[in-house]
Amino acid sequence: MTNFTSSEKNRFQNSLTVSNNQIASVVSDTFGKSSMNIVGKLLEDPTDTDFEIEPLIRGSMKDKISDLKLATDGFITPEQAGKLSVIKQHYENLKARKADLEKLILSLAEPYTEEINLILTVPSFKNIFSAIAVVSEIGVNMDVFPTAKHLCSGLTPTNNESAGKKKSVRISRAGVYIKPLLVQCATAVVQSDKHPEIRNRYLRLKKRRGHKRAIIAIARNVVNSNLPHFEEKRTI
């Protein structure tokens, strides 16, 4: 659903650009409330570009009224207006359906609230849906993993050596759902200043091994360093 909404946002922005509407060059988010109010007003009557913008915007956007007037002084054809209306409706519908799915996921995750809150204490885990994804992939019973190394085996290079010659050391294809999630979380934490020890470790590894190997190592380290903490809590 997130991918679908991103596609519609790109399609919407492209239609505005084709119509010489440069609102994106003034605002940070074309899909913010003020921006969408302006676009909605334009779609009501594409030929009317001389409407009052001030009642449609809020907050710090009021300092950009003159820039917004210039940015919206384009020409939206009836065909483009129709296309924009369809895209806008589809985008809003996708957002509503995504919200419905999130409610369903949260209701299913309620029995695991304690475990999810514990995962959220791990560096880089801020989104509750990331924590839910971990629980859904590995469960809450850590007895099935003798050690932390067993749990993060999908993030470990293969040991392919024969007659003293090392061959492929590529990461296995296991964990097709949880591995990208851990890599995404690792990427977030190395870009943050809140955990300099992790960031510094990443930078050291990156110099020697490159970004891809370094980020895999950080993702593995996040699992290795936190599983004993989970076991002590007797939860996940």
Side-chain angles (χ1 to χ4, degrees):
M1 298 298 285
T2 301
N3 290 339
F4 290 155
T5 53
S6 297
S7 295
E8 289 303 314
K9 287 174 75 172
N10 292 335
R11 195 170 289 115
F12 191 85
Q13 182 57 59
N14 181 61
S15 296
L16 287 177
T17 303
V18 168
S19 303
N20 198 31
N21 187 303
Q22 302 299 325
I23 193 171
S25 63
V26 180
V27 301
S28 57
D29 182 14
T30 308
F31 290 81
K33 289 185 179 179
S34 297
S35 304
M36 293 306 285
N37 286 341
I38 295 172
V39 173
K41 185 68 175 178
L42 283 169
L43 294 180
E44 288 179 10
D45 184 4
T47 61
D48 180 20
T49 58
D50 196 27
F51 56 88
E52 287 293 326
I53 289 181
E54 189 170 358
L56 304 173
I57 58 179
R58 58 184 67 186
S60 60
M61 292 279 288
K62 292 185 177 180
D63 297 332
K64 303 178 180 179
I65 292 178
S66 58
D67 293 331
L68 286 170
K69 285 182 178 178
L70 289 172
T72 55
D73 189 22
F75 177 69
I76 301 178
T77 64
E79 293 79 13
Q80 283 292 344
K83 180 182 176 182
L84 282 164
S85 296
V86 170
I87 295 171
K88 183 173 178 287
Q89 291 173 18
H90 191 205
Y91 170 74
E92 292 171 349
N93 186 266
L94 285 170
K95 281 186 65 179
R97 299 295 73 76
K98 181 181 175 182
D100 292 340
L101 280 175
E102 288 177 345
K103 288 179 182 178
L104 178 60
I105 292 169
L106 289 172
S107 66
L108 291 170
E110 280 183 6
Y112 309 101
T113 301
E114 185 180 354
E115 292 86 352
I116 289 168
N117 288 336
L118 190 58
I119 292 176
L120 290 173
T121 64
V122 177
S124 78
F125 278 87
K126 295 181 179 179
N127 190 318
I128 189 172
F129 291 102
S130 298
I132 291 172
V134 172
V135 170
S136 67
E137 284 297 304
I138 67 174
V140 294
N141 179 16
M142 292 296 100
D143 293 337
V144 298
F145 301 106
T147 66
K149 290 183 178 180
H150 287 79
L151 173 57
C152 63
S153 60
L155 293 167
T156 305
T158 54
N159 185 16
N160 189 358
E161 185 175 342
S162 178
K165 292 183 179 180
K166 273 195 172 183
K167 299 183 180 179
S168 173
V169 291
R170 292 184 63 181
I171 303 295
S172 69
R173 293 184 179 275
V176 292
Y177 295 109
I178 194 171
K179 183 165 65 177
L181 172 65
L182 292 174
V183 169
Q184 186 178 6
C185 291
T187 302
V189 77
V190 299
Q191 293 175 349
S192 171
D193 296 328
K194 293 183 179 179
H195 301 281
E197 71 286 357
I198 299 177
R199 178 175 173 79
N200 291 337
R201 175 179 169 80
Y202 162 76
L203 292 174
R204 289 196 302 270
L205 289 169
K206 183 183 176 183
K207 284 182 180 178
R208 294 185 289 108
R209 307 292 290 169
H211 165 72
K212 289 185 178 180
R213 288 185 173 89
I215 207 69
I216 287 290
I218 295 300
R220 184 169 62 249
N221 181 254
V222 167
V223 178
N224 271 328
S225 60
N226 286 283
L227 184 64
H229 174 59
F230 293 150
E231 290 174 337
E232 289 172 10
K233 293 279 187 177
R234 286 189 166 182
T235 53
I236 180 168

